[in-house]
Amino acid sequence: MRRPVLGLIGALLSGCATSYSDTAVTRFIERAEMCAHWSGEEPYDDARRAEIERNLRDLRCTTITRDGEALKLSRRERSEDLRRIDEALARF
C-alpha cells in the first residue's frame, strides 16, 4: 500500500515543480517585457517622466539582466526555459 501512495505523491509533486518553473519564468518574461516597454516611452513632460521612472523602479528594471541570469542558473536543466529567458534578455 505504501508504494502506490508514495508514487502518487511523487507524481503530484513533480507536477508542482513544473508549474512553479513555468510560473517563475513567465513572470520574469512579463516583467522584462514591461521594462522594455517603459524604457522606450517618451517622457514628454514632468508627469510622464515621473510615471515612467516610477514604473521602471517598481519593476526593478535596473536588475533585470542580473535577475535573468540568476533564473537561468536555477533552470540550467530546462532548455526551453533557458531559451525563453534568453529571448527576454535579448532586449537589454
Side-chain angles (χ1 to χ4, degrees), residues 30-87:
E30 289 170 354
R31 180 177 153 222
E33 288 172 352
M34 291 306 298
C35 286
H37 167 78
W38 283 108
S39 64
E41 287 293 301
E42 184 67 34
Y44 45 79
D45 62 22
D46 289 340
R48 182 63 172 169
R49 181 182 310 279
E51 179 184 19
I52 293 166
E53 289 173 359
R54 183 182 69 250
N55 280 290
L56 291 172
R57 184 182 57 250
D58 291 350
L59 290 163
R60 302 177 332 274
C61 295
T62 59
T63 64
I64 196 77
T65 301
R66 183 185 66 197
D67 296 344
E69 293 301 325
L71 186 60
K72 283 172 56 175
L73 286 175
S74 71
R75 303 297 187 274
R76 62 182 167 264
E77 303 294 325
R78 300 178 59 107
S79 61
E80 180 61 20
D81 286 351
L82 294 175
R83 183 191 63 75
R84 293 174 64 207
I85 295 166
D86 281 337
E87 284 179 4

Side-chain angles (χ1 to χ4, degrees), residues 19-33 71 81 84-85:
S19 68
Y20 169 76
S21 173
D22 293 343
T23 300
V25 173
T26 299
R27 285 179 42 218
F28 172 78
I29 291 168
E30 289 170 354
R31 180 177 153 222
E33 288 172 352
L71 186 60
D81 286 351
R84 293 174 64 207
I85 295 166

